[in-house]
Amino acid sequence: MKLSREALLGAYRKMRMIRAFETKLGELVAAGKMGGFMHLYAGEEAVAVGVCTHLSEIDPVASTHRGHGHCIAKGVDVHGMMAELFGRATGLCKGKGGSMHIADVEKGMLGANGIVGAGIPLATGAGLTAKMKRTGGVAVAFFGDGATNQGAFHESLNMAANWKLPVLYVVENNGFGEFTPTEFVIPVKDIAVRADSYAMTSLIADGMDFFDVYEKAAEALDHCRSGKGPVLLECKTYRFAGHFVGDPLVYRSKEEAEDWIQNRDPLLNFETHAVEASLVDSDDLRRIDLEVEEELASAVEAAEAAPFPDLSEILTDVYVEAAR
């Protein structure tokens, strides 16, 4: 499936925005301007964008604690995201959600989630809704390798396969569950084989290669939309930063990280492939780089100037009636 030049530049813009957004967050946390745990998505951009490039607003996405990249790839407003991370009233969730609970239902982003694997059953339910209402949509669940050891993962896949739900399960296998190497806790080399237990189709993609993820996601989504049931797509990737900002990274070698960062960077891979194939020009990419930096600087400035939520708002959007 070929992408137009405009679509390719759009995909690069989203990957570049994810990288710049996460880099800026790291700087803001280090400077003491932003609090709370921050789990950065840098290095995994090709997965989110490679999948979400196929999606529209009728295709809901459930994210993870490392959810900024999924939000940006799904088209969520960067200004609203930044304000939310600053805890400001202009944030997507009025400053009450923060990093691990960003959501924008109008864009089909069901939300980030601080519980490992909790987005998987949410996407399964969204897939059931799509099937019953015949919306034509496909629900997508992003989750990490560690989440595939959760009961919610197996229960959801079993249900989705049995009912042939239109759900794409995307496991972002970045080699570590928090601080533990995947091979220490998962006995199979390819997590994708776990789909066999549920008679489910599975695919494996190079998560550092936008074009491979894009092609595999197209195949998977076509399968889901055709009524053939769910698909498990394993994307083998790598997070460039630690599990969270401030992670001492004592569980992986410097040499390992440098090899991935220097030789398998998804943005550099995209540029090399696209420019050598004469699909885009380097000048176009550099222009996008500058535009992204300007937009991000504007988002930070606006967020810092925005007000905090008023105390009177403390109980609004809380769905359980307050005790009297």
Side-chain angles (χ1 to χ4, degrees), residues 56-69:
S56 70
E57 292 181 5
I58 68 167
D59 302 310
V61 167
S63 184
T64 70
H65 57 281
R66 200 179 307 283
H68 311 146

Side-chain angles (χ1 to χ4, degrees), residues 58-142:
I58 68 167
D59 302 310
V61 167
S63 184
T64 70
H65 57 281
R66 200 179 307 283
H68 311 146
H70 306 137
C71 289
I72 293 171
K74 196 63 169 66
V76 175
D77 176 55
V78 172
H79 281 72
M81 289 178 62
M82 187 63 72
E84 183 63 32
L85 293 169
F86 270 101
R88 306 305 168 109
T90 53
L92 287 170
C93 302
K94 303 179 183 178
K96 302 175 184 181
S99 174
M100 287 188 279
H101 298 94
I102 290 179
D104 187 350
V105 178
E106 291 185 2
K107 291 291 185 179
M109 171 50 66
L110 300 181
N113 204 304
I115 301 173
V116 174
I120 302 173
L122 296 181
T124 304
L128 177 59
T129 298
K131 181 171 183 174
M132 293 183 69
K133 292 189 174 182
R134 300 181 181 180
T135 67
V138 175
V140 179
F142 288 100

Side-chain angles (χ1 to χ4, degrees), residues 265-298:
D265 186 321
L267 275 77
L268 295 179
N269 289 343
F270 179 98
E271 180 168 355
T272 298
H273 178 98
V275 172
E276 288 183 354
S278 299
L279 300 174
V280 299
D281 299 323
S282 292
D283 290 345
D284 292 324
L285 303 184
R286 299 293 77 79
R287 173 179 54 80
I288 289 173
D289 292 347
L290 291 174
E291 291 172 352
V292 163
E293 291 297 335
E294 290 174 358
E295 182 178 359
L296 193 56
S298 173

Side-chain angles (χ1 to χ4, degrees), residues 124 151-165 169 197-200 230:
T124 304
F153 167 80
H154 296 278
E155 294 164 6
S156 294
L157 265 64
N158 182 71
M159 180 182 293
N162 196 43
W163 291 348
K164 294 190 180 303
L165 301 182
Y169 297 98
S197 300
Y198 309 105
M200 182 186 298

